[in-house]
Amino acid sequence: MMNLAIFGFGTVGSGVWEIITNNPEHLKNKTAQSLNVKYILDIREFPDHPAASIITKKADDIFNDTDVNIIVETIGGTGIAYELSKRALLSKRHVVTSNKELVAAHGPELFDIANRNKVCYLYEACVGGGIPIIKSMKESLEANKIESIEGILNGTTNYILGQMFSNKISFADALKAAQKNGYAEANPAADIEGYDSVRKLAILSSLAFNKFIDYRKIPTEGIQNITLDNLEKAFESGAKIKLIATSKMQGDKLIASVRPTLINESHPLYNVEDVNNAIVLNCNNVGQVMFYGPGAGKLPTASAVVGDIVDIAKTMIA
Ligand code: HSE
């Protein structure tokens, strides 16, 4: 049996618990052992939740239990999540994370600690929600040099722009709906102002160009000033406005940005609607490939987390 602990019982953390609890046989067939969520760490109370008996506020309860091999970090942010992730890796636990802010800001340090302690720090859920982009870049595309990246990397903003245009609703109402659906960040300014997209772009670019790309150096503009009038005028001219993230290397220099962009019908990202994300990679051997799917939300993001857990569990003897 593989025991794990989930740190943070919000949208993604509860989704991870749900997938593991609802699919025991399927997951056992994949990993040749049962996955057991032994603890959930959260400072909030969940008295009526079926997992209430395993929820603790004390991280020490978990760190003192040597049967726990995998920590799932879905707390978010760079505060306590950073401290707990470091502690988990230093205590030789594998860590699976959906925390893109942490990976974008402290990835190199955390990967290094993981390497030195011979454990994994996996982050598929950090980019593209349920889209399997990280593993594809790390493994399936290894024969290629990635020349450029272009994508819609934030589900909330794509959803807001679509809702405003299709249903003629205000920015504020579209945002409320995105929050209700569990798409937006705890502080949705990160979505709207483009910071969530740029962190994801930096994570993908670091992987593609094999060096740490600091998201703080990438010019970033959000969708906060886009009006329904802008969307309608764009449509009249045969285009849509999307929050587009791009990056490529020119010699030693990274050319990258996140900004609302007019794209026309012939563009591969034109039909990416709703909460979906898509990532277009231009590669030297395969040519252009596009990854598409739900970019946010409880089960899509938790699906990516559980995929990483299964990968680790497969390599560990029961
Ligand atoms: N708030 C993020 C988004 C969640 O809307 O894309 C998934 O990373």
Side-chain angles (χ1 to χ4, degrees), residues 98 100 125-129 153-157 182-185 191 196 200 275 277 295-297 301:
S98 62
K100 52 261 160 122
C126 288
V127 183
L153 300 180
N154 182 268
T156 300
T157 45
Y183 302 155
E185 297 303 298
D191 298 294
D196 182 71
K200 291 167 176 169
V275 70
N277 282 188
T301 312

Side-chain angles (χ1 to χ4, degrees), residues 137-194:
M137 287 174 73
K138 272 198 207 163
E139 296 180 13
S140 314
L141 291 170
E142 261 183 338
N144 291 268
K145 190 167 175 231
I146 295 172
E147 290 163 343
S148 67
I149 301 171
E150 187 172 31
I152 292 173
L153 300 180
N154 182 268
T156 300
T157 45
N158 203 53
Y159 177 84
I160 290 174
L161 293 173
Q163 289 289 308
M164 282 169 70
F165 181 73
S166 310
N167 300 334
K168 310 291 172 223
I169 60 174
S170 68
F171 189 102
D173 284 345
L175 171 60
K176 261 189 228 144
Q179 286 174 305
K180 196 165 154 247
N181 289 334
Y183 302 155
E185 297 303 298
N187 176 2
D191 298 294
I192 292 159
E193 293 173 14

Side-chain angles (χ1 to χ4, degrees), residues 66-83:
T66 51
D67 285 344
V68 175
N69 308 106
I70 302 179
I71 303 290
V72 176
E73 191 271 293
T74 58
I75 300 168
T78 54
I80 187 74
Y82 171 63
E83 298 305 331

